[in-house]
Amino acid sequence: MPRIVTAYSNPLVKRVQALRDKRHRREEGMFIAEGLRILTEARETGRLPQVLFYAQASAHHPLVLALVRDVEAAGGEAIETTEAILAKLSGKDNPQSVVGAFATFDTDLTALDRNASPIWLVAERLRDPGNLGTILRTGDAVGAGGLILIGDCVDPFSTEAVRASMGALFTVPLVRASWSAFLPWLRAGPGQLVGLSLRTQSHYRTASYAAPTFLLTGNEAQGLPAELEAECDLLVKMPMLGKADSLNAAVATAVMAYEVLAHHAPAGSE
Amino acid sequence: MPRIVTAYSNPLVKRVQALRDKRHRREEGMFIAEGLRILTEARETGRLPQVLFYAQASAHHPLVLALVRDVEAAGGEAIETTEAILAKLSGKDNPQSVVGAFATFDTDLTALDRNASPIWLVAERLRDPGNLGTILRTGDAVGAGGLILIGDCVDPFSTEAVRASMGALFTVPLVRASWSAFLPWLRAGPGQLVGLSLRTQSHYRTASYAAPTFLLTGNEAQGLPAELEAECDLLVKMPMLGKADSLNAAVATAVMAYEVLAHHAPAGSE
C-alpha cells in the first residue's frame, strides 16, 4: 500500500530533494526524473524508480496506477503526496504529477555493439546539462546506437539534463569513457570518426560517411582540441554565413546527425 | 572619464541588476548583455550600451578601451568596477569582464525586405529563453533575414536568451507580431510558409522549397496549432526513429534551416 506523506520534514522527501545536488547524486548513486510520460517510458524500458512520489490528484490515473503497482512489485516505495512537496522535489512551481528517484546507470564501452546502429554520438567535455539532454533526445530521434561521453562532461543525471532529454536518457545507451579508453576501442573495429571543424575544406553535405559513423562534438566554448581533430577520419565544415563562427553544440550535433542519417538511409528508404 | 564604482549600494548597480527581471526590462526598456565578444559585436553593428560596467583587470584591453571610448562619445556612462559587482550584475559566479545595459529594440514587420534573404525564421509561442537565443544564433549562421516572433513568446531580451544567442540578438533582425498581422503581410508578397508536422507524407529532404522560405516553429510542448498548420504552403516531416515524437524546438528549427539553405545554396555554390 502506498504511504501518504504531506510533511516537508519527512526524511525521504529531504533525501530525494537533495538529489538535485551533484554531490548527493554521486553519494547515493541516484537521480531524479519527473513527469508521467518520461516515467512511463522508463517503465517500458524496464527502469523503475526506487522511490515514486505522485500527486493525490492523479492517484487514479491508469499510468500512475501502473507505475505504483510496478514500483511496489519491484520492492520500491510509492508515496502519495501534495503538489507543494512535488514542487519542492522538482524545483519547479508547476511540478509534474510524478517524481521518481532512480538508481544511476551506465553502459560499459565493451558492452556496445557498434553494428547495432549506423550513427553514434560522441561528446567531449560537454559543460551544459541542457545541451547534453538535448543531444540524447536527438540521439533517440536519429536512432543513434548511444551517446559516449568523453572526459570531464557535465553530469548526465543532473535534473536539467534529464529534463532536456525528454526521456531519451532511458532509451539511448549512455557510456562514460576517457579518450584513451575510447580511441583503442574505436580502432579495434569498423567506425568512422567524424569531427566538425573550421580547418577543413570538406563540406558536410558532400562528404562521404561510412557506417558506423561516430560523430564527435567538442566543448561548447573551445570546440575540439587539435589532438582529437587529428584522430578524426573525416573533418567537415558547415556553412556559417553570419558573424559567428560556431553553432550551439546540440544544434551542430543534430544537423550533422540528420545529415549522416540521410546518407545512410536516404528519403524514401525508411 | 569613467567612474569607479565598488559599492553594491550604488543606484546604477541596483538599476542594472534589476534588468534581469522581466518587469524591470519592460519598465525601463533596457536589457543586459555580457561579454567582450558580444559587446564588441554589438558595437560593430552600431549598438552601444547606455551603461557599461567593466572589470578593473581588463581596463587596458584594447577592445574594452574602444567600448569605453564609444560609449562615452555617445553620451553613455562607462563604469570601472569589481569582479564581485560584475558577478552580481550577471548572476554568474565567473562573470564576463564587461556587462552592458542596452536599450531594447525591435524591427517592424513592414520594415522587412523579404527578398533580403532566402530563409526567414518564424517562431510561435516559444517559451524557453535558451531556445529563443539558440534559434537567433542559428539564424545568424544560415544567413536568415530575421526572426519573427508570433504571439506570446518568451522575452527575447531575457538574460538567458541574450546569452544563448551569443551575439546574434544584435545581428539578426527581430520582429514581434501577432499572427493576424503576420499572415496578411506574408501573403502580400512572395513567401513559402513551411511547417514541421507529423501529419504529412512530405519528407523534409525531398520537399521543394521556394525562396523566400519562412520556417515556422511551434511551441515547445504543443507544436503548431492546427489553424496555423492549415495556413502553411508546405508541411514536412523528419524521420523520428526512436521512442519520442518530437525534437527540441531549436534543434528542429536548425535541421530545417540547414536543409532549406542546402536547397537554396547547394554545396560548392557558396
Short mmCIF file of all heavy atoms in Angstrom, two decimals, chain A residues 122-180:
data_model
loop_
_atom_site.label_atom_id
_atom_site.label_comp_id
_atom_site.label_asym_id
_atom_site.label_seq_id
_atom_site.Cartn_x
_atom_site.Cartn_y
_atom_site.Cartn_z
N VAL A 122 29.28 11.10 -29.96
CA VAL A 122 30.39 11.17 -29.00
C VAL A 122 30.56 12.64 -28.61
O VAL A 122 30.64 13.50 -29.50
CB VAL A 122 31.70 10.66 -29.63
CG1 VAL A 122 32.80 10.57 -28.58
CG2 VAL A 122 31.49 9.31 -30.32
N ALA A 123 30.56 12.94 -27.33
CA ALA A 123 30.70 14.33 -26.89
C ALA A 123 31.84 14.43 -25.90
O ALA A 123 31.98 13.59 -25.01
CB ALA A 123 29.41 14.84 -26.26
N GLU A 124 32.65 15.47 -26.08
CA GLU A 124 33.85 15.62 -25.27
C GLU A 124 33.76 16.89 -24.43
O GLU A 124 33.49 17.96 -24.94
CB GLU A 124 35.05 15.70 -26.24
CG GLU A 124 36.39 15.78 -25.57
CD GLU A 124 37.02 17.15 -25.71
OE1 GLU A 124 36.48 18.00 -26.44
OE2 GLU A 124 38.05 17.36 -25.06
N ARG A 125 33.95 16.76 -23.13
CA ARG A 125 33.95 17.89 -22.20
C ARG A 125 32.73 18.80 -22.38
O ARG A 125 32.84 20.03 -22.32
CB ARG A 125 35.23 18.72 -22.33
CG ARG A 125 36.49 18.02 -21.79
CD ARG A 125 37.71 18.93 -21.95
NE ARG A 125 37.82 19.34 -23.35
CZ ARG A 125 38.18 20.55 -23.77
NH1 ARG A 125 38.50 21.48 -22.88
NH2 ARG A 125 38.26 20.84 -25.03
N LEU A 126 31.59 18.21 -22.59
CA LEU A 126 30.35 18.99 -22.70
C LEU A 126 30.03 19.59 -21.34
O LEU A 126 30.05 18.88 -20.33
CB LEU A 126 29.24 18.04 -23.16
CG LEU A 126 28.11 18.63 -23.98
CD1 LEU A 126 28.62 19.18 -25.31
CD2 LEU A 126 27.07 17.54 -24.24
N ARG A 127 29.72 20.89 -21.28
CA ARG A 127 29.55 21.56 -19.98
C ARG A 127 28.11 21.89 -19.64
O ARG A 127 27.79 22.14 -18.49
CB ARG A 127 30.36 22.87 -19.95
CG ARG A 127 31.85 22.73 -20.11
CD ARG A 127 32.46 21.67 -19.24
NE ARG A 127 32.19 21.84 -17.81
CZ ARG A 127 32.25 20.86 -16.90
NH1 ARG A 127 32.54 19.63 -17.27
NH2 ARG A 127 32.00 21.09 -15.65
N ASP A 128 27.24 21.95 -20.65
CA ASP A 128 25.89 22.43 -20.39
C ASP A 128 24.91 21.26 -20.29
O ASP A 128 24.78 20.47 -21.22
CB ASP A 128 25.47 23.37 -21.53
CG ASP A 128 24.11 23.97 -21.27
OD1 ASP A 128 24.05 25.01 -20.59
OD2 ASP A 128 23.11 23.40 -21.73
N PRO A 129 24.21 21.12 -19.14
CA PRO A 129 23.30 19.99 -18.98
C PRO A 129 22.16 19.99 -20.01
O PRO A 129 21.73 18.93 -20.47
CB PRO A 129 22.77 20.15 -17.55
CG PRO A 129 23.03 21.56 -17.17
CD PRO A 129 24.24 22.00 -17.95
N GLY A 130 21.70 21.20 -20.37
CA GLY A 130 20.64 21.28 -21.39
C GLY A 130 21.13 20.74 -22.72
O GLY A 130 20.42 20.00 -23.41
N ASN A 131 22.37 21.06 -23.09
CA ASN A 131 22.94 20.52 -24.33
C ASN A 131 23.04 19.00 -24.26
O ASN A 131 22.71 18.31 -25.22
CB ASN A 131 24.32 21.11 -24.58
CG ASN A 131 24.26 22.52 -25.16
OD1 ASN A 131 23.21 22.95 -25.65
ND2 ASN A 131 25.36 23.24 -25.09
N LEU A 132 23.51 18.49 -23.13
CA LEU A 132 23.67 17.04 -23.02
C LEU A 132 22.31 16.33 -23.18
O LEU A 132 22.17 15.38 -23.95
CB LEU A 132 24.32 16.67 -21.68
CG LEU A 132 24.91 15.27 -21.61
CD1 LEU A 132 25.97 15.17 -20.53
CD2 LEU A 132 23.86 14.20 -21.37
N GLY A 133 21.30 16.84 -22.47
CA GLY A 133 19.96 16.24 -22.58
C GLY A 133 19.41 16.35 -23.99
O GLY A 133 18.82 15.40 -24.52
N THR A 134 19.62 17.51 -24.61
CA THR A 134 19.12 17.72 -25.97
C THR A 134 19.82 16.78 -26.96
O THR A 134 19.19 16.27 -27.89
CB THR A 134 19.30 19.20 -26.38
OG1 THR A 134 18.59 20.01 -25.44
CG2 THR A 134 18.77 19.46 -27.77
N ILE A 135 21.11 16.54 -26.76
CA ILE A 135 21.83 15.61 -27.64
C ILE A 135 21.29 14.18 -27.46
O ILE A 135 21.13 13.44 -28.44
CB ILE A 135 23.35 15.71 -27.38
CG1 ILE A 135 23.88 17.05 -27.93
CG2 ILE A 135 24.11 14.53 -28.00
CD1 ILE A 135 25.34 17.34 -27.61
N LEU A 136 20.98 13.80 -26.23
CA LEU A 136 20.36 12.49 -26.02
C LEU A 136 19.02 12.41 -26.76
O LEU A 136 18.70 11.40 -27.41
CB LEU A 136 20.12 12.24 -24.52
CG LEU A 136 21.30 11.70 -23.72
CD1 LEU A 136 21.01 11.78 -22.23
CD2 LEU A 136 21.60 10.24 -24.11
N ARG A 137 18.23 13.47 -26.66
CA ARG A 137 16.92 13.50 -27.32
C ARG A 137 17.07 13.36 -28.83
O ARG A 137 16.34 12.63 -29.49
CB ARG A 137 16.22 14.82 -26.96
CG ARG A 137 14.80 14.94 -27.48
CD ARG A 137 14.18 16.25 -26.99
NE ARG A 137 12.83 16.43 -27.49
CZ ARG A 137 12.09 17.52 -27.30
NH1 ARG A 137 12.59 18.54 -26.60
NH2 ARG A 137 10.88 17.62 -27.79
N THR A 138 18.06 14.05 -29.40
CA THR A 138 18.35 13.93 -30.83
C THR A 138 18.83 12.52 -31.15
O THR A 138 18.45 11.95 -32.18
CB THR A 138 19.42 14.96 -31.25
OG1 THR A 138 18.92 16.27 -30.98
CG2 THR A 138 19.77 14.82 -32.72
N GLY A 139 19.64 11.96 -30.26
CA GLY A 139 20.12 10.58 -30.45
C GLY A 139 18.98 9.59 -30.57
O GLY A 139 18.99 8.70 -31.42
N ASP A 140 17.98 9.75 -29.72
CA ASP A 140 16.78 8.92 -29.81
C ASP A 140 16.12 9.07 -31.18
O ASP A 140 15.78 8.09 -31.84
CB ASP A 140 15.81 9.31 -28.70
CG ASP A 140 14.47 8.59 -28.79
OD1 ASP A 140 14.38 7.44 -28.32
OD2 ASP A 140 13.51 9.16 -29.35
N ALA A 141 15.99 10.34 -31.63
CA ALA A 141 15.26 10.62 -32.88
C ALA A 141 15.97 10.04 -34.11
O ALA A 141 15.31 9.58 -35.04
CB ALA A 141 15.07 12.12 -33.05
N VAL A 142 17.29 10.07 -34.12
CA VAL A 142 18.01 9.56 -35.30
C VAL A 142 18.37 8.08 -35.15
O VAL A 142 19.03 7.50 -36.01
CB VAL A 142 19.30 10.37 -35.61
CG1 VAL A 142 18.96 11.83 -35.91
CG2 VAL A 142 20.32 10.25 -34.49
N GLY A 143 17.93 7.47 -34.06
CA GLY A 143 18.23 6.05 -33.84
C GLY A 143 19.69 5.79 -33.55
O GLY A 143 20.24 4.74 -33.95
N ALA A 144 20.34 6.71 -32.86
CA ALA A 144 21.76 6.53 -32.55
C ALA A 144 21.97 5.30 -31.66
O ALA A 144 21.11 4.97 -30.83
CB ALA A 144 22.31 7.78 -31.86
N GLY A 145 23.11 4.66 -31.86
CA GLY A 145 23.43 3.49 -31.03
C GLY A 145 23.66 3.86 -29.59
O GLY A 145 23.42 3.05 -28.68
N GLY A 146 24.11 5.08 -29.34
CA GLY A 146 24.35 5.53 -27.98
C GLY A 146 25.05 6.87 -27.98
O GLY A 146 25.43 7.39 -29.04
N LEU A 147 25.19 7.43 -26.78
CA LEU A 147 25.98 8.64 -26.59
C LEU A 147 27.16 8.28 -25.72
O LEU A 147 27.00 7.75 -24.62
CB LEU A 147 25.15 9.74 -25.91
CG LEU A 147 25.91 10.99 -25.44
CD1 LEU A 147 26.56 11.73 -26.62
CD2 LEU A 147 24.99 11.93 -24.67
N ILE A 148 28.36 8.56 -26.23
CA ILE A 148 29.59 8.27 -25.49
C ILE A 148 30.15 9.60 -24.99
O ILE A 148 30.47 10.48 -25.79
CB ILE A 148 30.60 7.54 -26.39
CG1 ILE A 148 29.98 6.23 -26.89
CG2 ILE A 148 31.90 7.27 -25.63
CD1 ILE A 148 30.72 5.57 -28.04
N LEU A 149 30.22 9.75 -23.68
CA LEU A 149 30.73 10.99 -23.08
C LEU A 149 32.21 10.82 -22.76
O LEU A 149 32.59 9.88 -22.05
CB LEU A 149 29.96 11.31 -21.79
CG LEU A 149 28.46 11.57 -21.96
CD1 LEU A 149 27.81 11.76 -20.60
CD2 LEU A 149 28.23 12.79 -22.85
N ILE A 150 33.01 11.73 -23.30
CA ILE A 150 34.46 11.64 -23.15
C ILE A 150 34.94 12.72 -22.19
O ILE A 150 34.57 13.88 -22.31
CB ILE A 150 35.16 11.87 -24.52
CG1 ILE A 150 34.65 10.90 -25.57
CG2 ILE A 150 36.67 11.83 -24.37
CD1 ILE A 150 35.12 9.49 -25.40
N GLY A 151 35.79 12.32 -21.26
CA GLY A 151 36.43 13.30 -20.38
C GLY A 151 35.46 13.90 -19.38
O GLY A 151 34.44 13.31 -19.04
N ASP A 152 35.77 15.12 -18.96
CA ASP A 152 35.04 15.75 -17.87
C ASP A 152 33.78 16.43 -18.39
O ASP A 152 33.74 17.64 -18.59
CB ASP A 152 35.96 16.76 -17.18
CG ASP A 152 35.30 17.37 -15.96
OD1 ASP A 152 34.38 16.74 -15.40
OD2 ASP A 152 35.71 18.47 -15.57
N CYS A 153 32.72 15.65 -18.60
CA CYS A 153 31.44 16.19 -19.06
C CYS A 153 30.56 16.52 -17.86
O CYS A 153 30.74 16.00 -16.77
CB CYS A 153 30.70 15.18 -19.94
SG CYS A 153 31.35 15.03 -21.63
N VAL A 154 29.56 17.36 -18.10
CA VAL A 154 28.55 17.64 -17.09
C VAL A 154 27.81 16.33 -16.75
O VAL A 154 27.76 15.42 -17.56
CB VAL A 154 27.58 18.73 -17.63
CG1 VAL A 154 26.79 18.21 -18.82
CG2 VAL A 154 26.66 19.23 -16.54
N ASP A 155 27.27 16.26 -15.55
CA ASP A 155 26.60 15.05 -15.08
C ASP A 155 25.33 14.77 -15.90
O ASP A 155 24.40 15.57 -15.89
CB ASP A 155 26.23 15.24 -13.60
CG ASP A 155 25.58 14.00 -13.01
OD1 ASP A 155 25.49 12.97 -13.71
OD2 ASP A 155 25.17 14.07 -11.83
N PRO A 156 25.27 13.65 -16.62
CA PRO A 156 24.08 13.35 -17.42
C PRO A 156 22.85 13.09 -16.56
O PRO A 156 21.73 13.07 -17.08
CB PRO A 156 24.48 12.09 -18.20
CG PRO A 156 25.58 11.48 -17.42
CD PRO A 156 26.30 12.61 -16.74
N PHE A 157 23.03 12.89 -15.26
CA PHE A 157 21.90 12.65 -14.36
C PHE A 157 21.47 13.92 -13.63
O PHE A 157 20.64 13.85 -12.72
CB PHE A 157 22.26 11.53 -13.38
CG PHE A 157 22.52 10.22 -14.07
CD1 PHE A 157 23.81 9.74 -14.22
CD2 PHE A 157 21.48 9.50 -14.62
CE1 PHE A 157 24.05 8.55 -14.88
CE2 PHE A 157 21.71 8.30 -15.28
CZ PHE A 157 23.00 7.82 -15.42
N SER A 158 22.02 15.06 -14.01
CA SER A 158 21.55 16.31 -13.40
C SER A 158 20.10 16.51 -13.82
O SER A 158 19.67 16.09 -14.91
CB SER A 158 22.40 17.48 -13.87
OG SER A 158 22.03 17.86 -15.18
N THR A 159 19.34 17.14 -12.95
CA THR A 159 17.90 17.30 -13.20
C THR A 159 17.66 18.00 -14.53
O THR A 159 16.76 17.63 -15.29
CB THR A 159 17.27 18.08 -12.03
OG1 THR A 159 17.66 17.45 -10.80
CG2 THR A 159 15.75 18.07 -12.11
N GLU A 160 18.48 19.00 -14.85
CA GLU A 160 18.29 19.75 -16.09
C GLU A 160 18.58 18.88 -17.32
O GLU A 160 17.88 18.97 -18.33
CB GLU A 160 19.18 21.00 -16.08
CG GLU A 160 18.76 22.03 -17.12
CD GLU A 160 19.71 23.22 -17.16
OE1 GLU A 160 20.49 23.41 -16.20
OE2 GLU A 160 19.69 23.94 -18.18
N ALA A 161 19.61 18.04 -17.24
CA ALA A 161 19.93 17.16 -18.37
C ALA A 161 18.82 16.13 -18.57
O ALA A 161 18.39 15.87 -19.70
CB ALA A 161 21.28 16.46 -18.14
N VAL A 162 18.35 15.56 -17.48
CA VAL A 162 17.28 14.56 -17.57
C VAL A 162 16.04 15.19 -18.20
O VAL A 162 15.41 14.61 -19.08
CB VAL A 162 16.96 13.98 -16.17
CG1 VAL A 162 15.78 13.02 -16.24
CG2 VAL A 162 18.19 13.28 -15.58
N ARG A 163 15.72 16.40 -17.73
CA ARG A 163 14.55 17.12 -18.24
C ARG A 163 14.69 17.38 -19.74
O ARG A 163 13.78 17.12 -20.52
CB ARG A 163 14.46 18.44 -17.48
CG ARG A 163 13.10 19.02 -17.33
CD ARG A 163 13.16 20.24 -16.40
NE ARG A 163 12.89 19.94 -15.01
CZ ARG A 163 13.19 20.75 -13.98
NH1 ARG A 163 13.78 21.91 -14.20
NH2 ARG A 163 12.89 20.41 -12.76
N ALA A 164 15.85 17.89 -20.17
CA ALA A 164 16.05 18.23 -21.59
C ALA A 164 16.04 16.97 -22.46
O ALA A 164 15.71 17.04 -23.64
CB ALA A 164 17.36 18.99 -21.77
N SER A 165 16.40 15.82 -21.88
CA SER A 165 16.43 14.59 -22.69
C SER A 165 15.03 14.09 -23.00
O SER A 165 14.84 13.27 -23.90
CB SER A 165 17.22 13.49 -21.97
OG SER A 165 16.39 12.76 -21.07
N MET A 166 14.03 14.58 -22.29
CA MET A 166 12.64 14.20 -22.52
C MET A 166 12.45 12.68 -22.55
O MET A 166 11.67 12.15 -23.35
CB MET A 166 12.13 14.81 -23.84
CG MET A 166 12.02 16.32 -23.82
SD MET A 166 10.70 16.92 -22.74
CE MET A 166 9.27 16.62 -23.79
N GLY A 167 13.18 11.98 -21.71
CA GLY A 167 13.02 10.54 -21.62
C GLY A 167 14.11 9.76 -22.34
O GLY A 167 14.27 8.56 -22.13
N ALA A 168 14.86 10.46 -23.22
CA ALA A 168 15.87 9.75 -24.01
C ALA A 168 17.00 9.21 -23.14
O ALA A 168 17.71 8.28 -23.55
CB ALA A 168 16.43 10.67 -25.10
N LEU A 169 17.16 9.75 -21.94
CA LEU A 169 18.15 9.20 -21.02
C LEU A 169 17.89 7.71 -20.79
O LEU A 169 18.81 6.93 -20.56
CB LEU A 169 18.09 9.94 -19.67
CG LEU A 169 19.04 9.44 -18.59
CD1 LEU A 169 20.47 9.82 -18.94
CD2 LEU A 169 18.68 10.01 -17.22
N PHE A 170 16.61 7.33 -20.86
CA PHE A 170 16.24 5.93 -20.61
C PHE A 170 16.29 5.06 -21.87
O PHE A 170 16.24 3.85 -21.79
CB PHE A 170 14.84 5.86 -19.99
CG PHE A 170 14.76 6.47 -18.62
CD1 PHE A 170 14.14 7.69 -18.43
CD2 PHE A 170 15.29 5.81 -17.52
CE1 PHE A 170 14.07 8.27 -17.16
CE2 PHE A 170 15.22 6.38 -16.26
CZ PHE A 170 14.61 7.60 -16.07
N THR A 171 16.31 5.70 -23.04
CA THR A 171 16.22 4.91 -24.27
C THR A 171 17.52 4.87 -25.07
O THR A 171 17.70 3.99 -25.91
CB THR A 171 15.10 5.45 -25.20
OG1 THR A 171 15.41 6.81 -25.55
CG2 THR A 171 13.75 5.41 -24.49
N VAL A 172 18.41 5.85 -24.84
CA VAL A 172 19.67 5.90 -25.59
C VAL A 172 20.81 5.44 -24.67
O VAL A 172 21.05 6.05 -23.64
CB VAL A 172 19.94 7.33 -26.10
CG1 VAL A 172 21.28 7.42 -26.81
CG2 VAL A 172 18.81 7.81 -27.00
N PRO A 173 21.49 4.36 -25.03
CA PRO A 173 22.60 3.90 -24.18
C PRO A 173 23.63 5.00 -23.94
O PRO A 173 23.98 5.75 -24.85
CB PRO A 173 23.19 2.74 -24.99
CG PRO A 173 22.05 2.23 -25.80
CD PRO A 173 21.25 3.45 -26.15
N LEU A 174 24.07 5.09 -22.70
CA LEU A 174 24.97 6.15 -22.27
C LEU A 174 26.25 5.53 -21.76
O LEU A 174 26.22 4.64 -20.90
CB LEU A 174 24.28 6.94 -21.16
CG LEU A 174 25.00 8.16 -20.60
CD1 LEU A 174 24.92 9.31 -21.60
CD2 LEU A 174 24.37 8.57 -19.28
N VAL A 175 27.38 5.98 -22.30
CA VAL A 175 28.68 5.44 -21.89
C VAL A 175 29.54 6.61 -21.43
O VAL A 175 29.52 7.67 -22.04
CB VAL A 175 29.36 4.73 -23.08
CG1 VAL A 175 30.78 4.31 -22.72
CG2 VAL A 175 28.54 3.54 -23.54
N ARG A 176 30.28 6.43 -20.35
CA ARG A 176 31.27 7.43 -19.96
C ARG A 176 32.64 6.79 -20.06
O ARG A 176 32.87 5.71 -19.50
CB ARG A 176 30.98 7.95 -18.56
CG ARG A 176 29.72 8.81 -18.55
CD ARG A 176 29.49 9.49 -17.23
NE ARG A 176 28.74 8.65 -16.32
CZ ARG A 176 28.16 9.09 -15.20
NH1 ARG A 176 28.26 10.35 -14.86
NH2 ARG A 176 27.49 8.27 -14.41
N ALA A 177 33.53 7.43 -20.81
CA ALA A 177 34.85 6.83 -21.03
C ALA A 177 35.90 7.93 -21.18
O ALA A 177 35.58 9.06 -21.52
CB ALA A 177 34.83 5.97 -22.29
N SER A 178 37.15 7.56 -20.93
CA SER A 178 38.23 8.50 -21.22
C SER A 178 38.58 8.39 -22.70
O SER A 178 38.29 7.39 -23.35
CB SER A 178 39.45 8.15 -20.37
OG SER A 178 39.95 6.89 -20.76
N TRP A 179 39.20 9.44 -23.22
CA TRP A 179 39.62 9.40 -24.63
C TRP A 179 40.60 8.25 -24.85
O TRP A 179 40.55 7.57 -25.88
CB TRP A 179 40.27 10.75 -24.98
CG TRP A 179 40.73 10.87 -26.40
CD1 TRP A 179 42.02 10.91 -26.83
CD2 TRP A 179 39.90 10.94 -27.57
NE1 TRP A 179 42.04 11.01 -28.20
CE2 TRP A 179 40.76 11.04 -28.68
CE3 TRP A 179 38.52 10.94 -27.79
CZ2 TRP A 179 40.28 11.13 -30.00
CZ3 TRP A 179 38.05 11.04 -29.10
CH2 TRP A 179 38.92 11.13 -30.17
N SER A 180 41.45 8.01 -23.86
CA SER A 180 42.47 6.96 -24.01
C SER A 180 41.86 5.57 -23.93
O SER A 180 42.49 4.59 -24.32
CB SER A 180 43.57 7.12 -22.97
OG SER A 180 43.03 7.02 -21.67
#
